Amino acid sequence: MDLTNPSKPPKPILATEEAREAGDRTMTGFRWIGSDHVVMTTLQRENFSGQLSDYRRLVAYSVSKDKMVQQAWDKAGGDAGNILWIDQTKGEYLLERDSVGENTERWGLPEVVRVNVATGQYSILQRKNPIVSSWAADADGVVRAGFSSDSDNGKLRMLYRSNASENFRTVYHEADSSFTKTIPVPQVFIPGSDKAYVISNKDGFDKVYIMDLTNLQLSEPVFETRGFDVQGIITDYDGRRVVGYETFAGAMNNRFTDDKFQGIQANLNSMFGFGEAQIVSADRSENRLVVFAGGTSKGGGFYLYDVPSAKISLLNWQKTAIKDSPLNPVKAEWVTASDGTKLQVIVTYPRHRTGKKLPVVIMPHGGPFGALSATNNLEPWNQPLAEAGYLVIQPNYRGSGGYGKAFVKLGRDKGGYGKRMQDDLTDVLNAYAAKGIVDAGRACIMGWSYGGYAAARGAQRDAKLWRCAIAGAGVYDMPLMNKWDSENLGRFSSGFQATSDDPEGISPARNTDGPWAPLLIVAPERDARIPMEQSRTLVAGLKRSGKVEGTNFRYVIQPKGTHNLPYDDVHIEWITEALGWLGRFNPAYVPSDSDKPVG
């Protein structure tokens, strides 16, 4: 698209389909390097020794020459797509990539190459290191740090050097058996020094500090948000100067400390409303910005904002089918659990409904630990369910991220996973029922990944509570999953889910006798994180216990589905199946509803 003339029809550069079969290629992102080249990240799926594998590559498009150029593909291995640093003036960048140019003992370990975007030619800047699995560069293009982890003992290692002439030395080498501590990873190197901005939860919440990389000593907090974790650091165009921070307090927002960006954000707030507009990217002068606005109360779109003139123009809608149509309102609210713990929940209110005691879907997020739901950062399933007439509650149960280390630990403590964390979902339902907002007798539970586990666990443990349950891509047999994690992720990683106190007792697949709420099971066959044996084991157990498929449960296999639901058709199938199951066991409207649609 020509930003000097947004009304001019855009010119297609690259058209791709989803990468599903061997030989397919798709595009996963793009960015500018210099003023003439758009660099696109592509994934190519290939059959490697009987297994489908994805290969990541970069392709640059020259606007002036209308030409595509492959970027450092020569001798590239499975991943050649991680850009560490860009010199926008020279049109060069540092690329971290796997390479097959050395002996097989170091295959899979990354090197760093300096690439000319116009030609795609490269030179090796940092050779592979036998104990480094990822690298970090500073704002001058110097590789300053390397990182690795041991999947068996859990030790994380950081190597560091002050400048390009020094050798790397180990400055951190520890394991965290609690899985709650942050790692001292430099977020932004401070030019001309041995210091960097980092995010650490050493005082209980994620705060921003300046760390001395020679001894890992932290300054006093540079930035914090009371009662919540800081989510990230925002830098200027060249990555040399911190201009603000990414924050969370029920919604994800940017908090700028730079005067210019504060003024820009204030203008955007006056145009679109507070929290409704986020800066997506900027040119080198930081006078022309791409802004995303909307997406919470109404459909969102991308805009071009000229800072000096304060003129803004629409580039395109995020979803052209709905444009800026009204959405179902989403609010962050608080609930007190039965043990006194404060829980923040994200509630989507069906905009067409005026009555009380509404049907409700409790929708726990995936993860579970460290993940969170926010009013402007949700799985997109809340809107179609609310549009159908359901009130949707997405609880940030204990163990969720955003609320400090102690809150995560509440979920990780023995008796948390599958027990107290499950009680939080019940407490949320009861709290809204006590207010008269929802009808506790018209409640279902739905989720994907950990949310899928929580749904199946709810159907098994609290059969009388839920009219139905909808479980996607979940873990249903903890001992089996712990064994798989140990074999595929390492012995230390197998403890991440913190289920060691009672893995059999909290496994729905091992407790299929007795009453269950009607359960919809959706299993993506190409799930690389949760093996298909999980859903198969659950289904086999249900049948063995006398549950009837089609009556007590429904089992849907998505042959081309993956854990992250990347394809529209499998995503739509998930929503369609969910709405069908809800309609069967918990209709959105019943004759007694005062706001039942006519006709």
Side-chain angles (χ1 to χ4, degrees):
M1 173 176 285
D2 185 351
L3 296 184
T4 63
N5 184 12
S7 63
K8 183 179 179 181
K11 177 183 177 181
I13 295 175
L14 179 67
T16 62
E17 300 292 338
E18 294 101 345
R20 303 190 183 196
E21 306 295 344
D24 290 351
R25 183 180 296 171
T26 189
M27 184 177 71
T28 61
F30 65 91
R31 66 190 301 175
W32 281 91
I33 293 182
S35 59
D36 188 50
H37 288 87
V38 180
V39 176
M40 294 159 284
T41 304
T42 67
L43 284 181
Q44 182 167 322
R45 181 155 293 177
E46 298 294 348
N47 189 318
F48 186 75
S49 300
Q51 297 291 325
L52 290 176
S53 300
D54 291 335
Y55 293 81
R56 187 162 66 150
R57 296 287 187 270
L58 299 179
V59 180
Y61 171 75
S62 170
V63 176
S64 63
K65 296 180 180 179
D66 190 21
K67 179 183 177 182
M68 296 279 192
V69 180
Q70 296 175 350
Q71 302 288 292
W73 284 26
D74 176 54
K75 298 179 182 178
D79 188 358
N82 185 24
I83 296 175
L84 301 181
W85 169 84
I86 298 174
D87 185 329
Q88 300 286 4
T89 303
K90 294 183 179 180
E92 297 181 347
Y93 63 97
L94 298 188
L95 172 67
E96 177 187 281
R97 67 170 202 167
D98 298 340
S99 169
V100 294
E102 296 186 21
N103 61 62
T104 56
E105 291 180 357
R106 293 193 180 183
W107 281 10
L109 296 174
E111 64 186 9
V112 179
V113 297
R114 189 178 185 108
V115 186
N116 182 295
V117 71
T119 65
Q121 299 301 306
Y122 67 92
S123 59
I124 297 176
L125 182 70
Q126 174 63 56
R127 295 192 178 277
K128 299 179 180 184
N129 184 300
I131 59 173
V132 172
S133 56
S134 64
W135 299 98
D138 65 17
D140 294 314
V142 177
V143 178
R144 296 279 295 279
F147 310 92
S148 66
S149 61
D150 189 308
S151 60
D152 285 330
N153 63 30
K155 286 190 174 183
L156 302 171
R157 183 192 298 266
M158 181 169 73
L159 282 68
Y160 174 74
R161 65 179 179 179
S162 298
N163 53 64
S165 63
E166 286 188 357
N167 293 323
F168 286 98
R169 60 191 181 278
T170 296
V171 294
Y172 181 85
H173 193 205
E174 297 180 15
D176 172 26
S177 60
S178 73
F179 295 97
T180 61
K181 298 178 183 178
T182 48
I183 306 163
V185 175
Q187 303 285 317
V188 180
F189 291 96
I190 298 176
S193 76
D194 278 310
K195 296 182 178 180
Y197 287 88
V198 300
I199 295 177
S200 172
N201 66 3
K202 78 177 186 69
D203 293 328
F205 288 86
D206 283 350
K207 303 176 183 179
V208 180
Y209 301 84
I210 292 176
M211 183 173 69
D212 186 328
L213 291 161
T214 63
N215 56 23
L216 304 189
Q217 293 299 305
L218 297 177
S219 69
E220 291 298 310
V222 174
F223 181 82
E224 60 185 293
T225 53
R226 189 176 181 85
F228 296 95
D229 293 325
V230 176
Q231 300 296 305
I233 300 173
I234 306 170
T235 67
D236 64 358
Y237 185 86
D238 292 314
R240 305 181 71 86
R241 184 171 57 91
V242 173
V243 299
Y245 304 94
E246 298 171 0
T247 65
F248 166 74
M252 304 291 291
N253 282 304
N254 294 336
R255 183 96 58 87
F256 290 106
T257 53
D258 176 81
D259 290 343
K260 180 177 180 178
F261 279 95
Q262 282 182 346
I264 293 170
Q265 189 65 58
N267 287 341
L268 294 173
N269 290 344
S270 67
M271 294 177 184
F272 296 100
F274 181 81
E276 288 290 325
Q278 304 282 340
I279 298 171
V280 175
S281 65
D283 67 358
R284 191 175 190 83
S285 69
E286 296 174 343
N287 283 328
R288 304 190 79 200
L289 313 176
V290 175
V291 173
F292 177 78
T296 52
S297 61
K298 61 182 180 179
F302 292 92
Y303 296 82
L304 178 65
Y305 180 59
D306 183 79
V307 176
S309 67
K311 180 182 178 181
I312 196 158
S313 54
L314 177 69
L315 295 174
N316 208 343
W317 299 110
Q318 183 183 37
K319 297 180 179 179
T320 54
I322 65 172
K323 297 184 179 180
D324 60 347
S325 299
L327 299 177
N328 298 281
V330 184
K331 299 180 181 180
E333 300 175 343
W334 289 92
V335 167
T336 301
S338 54
D339 67 349
T341 302
K342 298 291 186 181
L343 308 173
Q344 194 172 43
V345 299
I346 310 302
V347 187
T348 305
Y349 289 87
R351 61 193 178 97
H352 296 300
R353 305 211 64 166
T354 58
K356 298 290 186 179
K357 294 191 174 182
L358 298 175
V360 60
V361 177
I362 304 295
M363 190 183 292
H365 60 71
F369 304 115
L372 58 85
S373 293
T375 56
N376 53 356
N377 184 26
L378 293 168
E379 292 97 346
W381 317 321
N382 63 314
Q383 287 294 332
L385 267 60
E387 195 70 14
Y390 298 93
L391 187 133
V392 181
I393 305 177
Q394 294 169 272
N396 283 327
Y397 46 81
R398 69 196 64 207
S400 300
Y403 306 95
K405 180 165 57 177
F407 191 77
V408 174
K409 192 174 183 299
L410 285 176
R412 287 196 167 279
D413 286 343
K414 291 187 183 302
Y417 203 113
K419 296 180 180 179
R420 185 61 255 190
M421 289 164 68
Q422 206 74 20
D423 292 340
D424 286 348
L425 309 181
T426 302
D427 291 343
V428 167
L429 172 62
N430 291 336
Y432 278 83
K435 296 176 184 179
I437 297 173
V438 306
D439 182 347
R442 299 172 67 187
C444 287
I445 182 171
M446 169 182 174
W448 188 268
S449 192
Y450 171 82
Y453 161 78
R457 174 68 166 151
Q460 171 255 318
R461 193 189 78 152
D462 305 307
K464 294 182 179 180
L465 185 68
W466 307 108
R467 293 283 293 272
C468 67
I470 301 164
V475 173
Y476 310 117
D477 188 312
M478 290 300 171
L480 267 183
M481 193 70 224
N482 290 341
K483 181 175 182 293
W484 188 93
D485 281 350
S486 180
E487 293 172 350
N488 291 274
L489 304 179
R491 291 191 298 272
F492 186 78
S493 297
S494 67
F496 175 77
Q497 294 294 344
T499 60
S500 58
D501 64 323
D502 185 20
E504 291 86 3
I506 64 171
S507 296
R510 299 202 175 204
N511 297 276
T512 51
D513 292 340
W516 276 57
L519 175 65
L520 169 65
I521 307 161
V522 178
E525 197 164 24
R526 298 185 180 186
D527 193 331
R529 177 63 187 100
I530 308 298
M532 279 290 291
E533 70 174 350
Q534 286 292 318
S535 57
R536 290 176 181 143
T537 300
L538 175 59
V539 169
L542 291 171
K543 290 180 177 179
R544 191 165 51 247
S545 295
K547 308 296 190 294
V548 179
E549 186 168 2
T551 301
N552 305 112
F553 71 95
R554 174 170 165 77
Y555 182 36
V556 177
I557 297 175
Q558 297 181 312
K560 296 184 178 180
T562 71
H563 195 71
N564 296 320
L565 280 173
Y567 310 131
D568 285 347
D569 54 353
V570 294
H571 211 146
I572 290 171
E573 182 185 27
W574 160 245
I575 296 296
T576 302
E577 288 284 352
L579 285 170
W581 200 249
L582 288 167
R584 178 176 172 184
F585 294 99
N586 188 23
Y589 294 93
V590 296
S592 60
D593 285 337
S594 60
D595 56 357
K596 189 176 187 297
V598 178

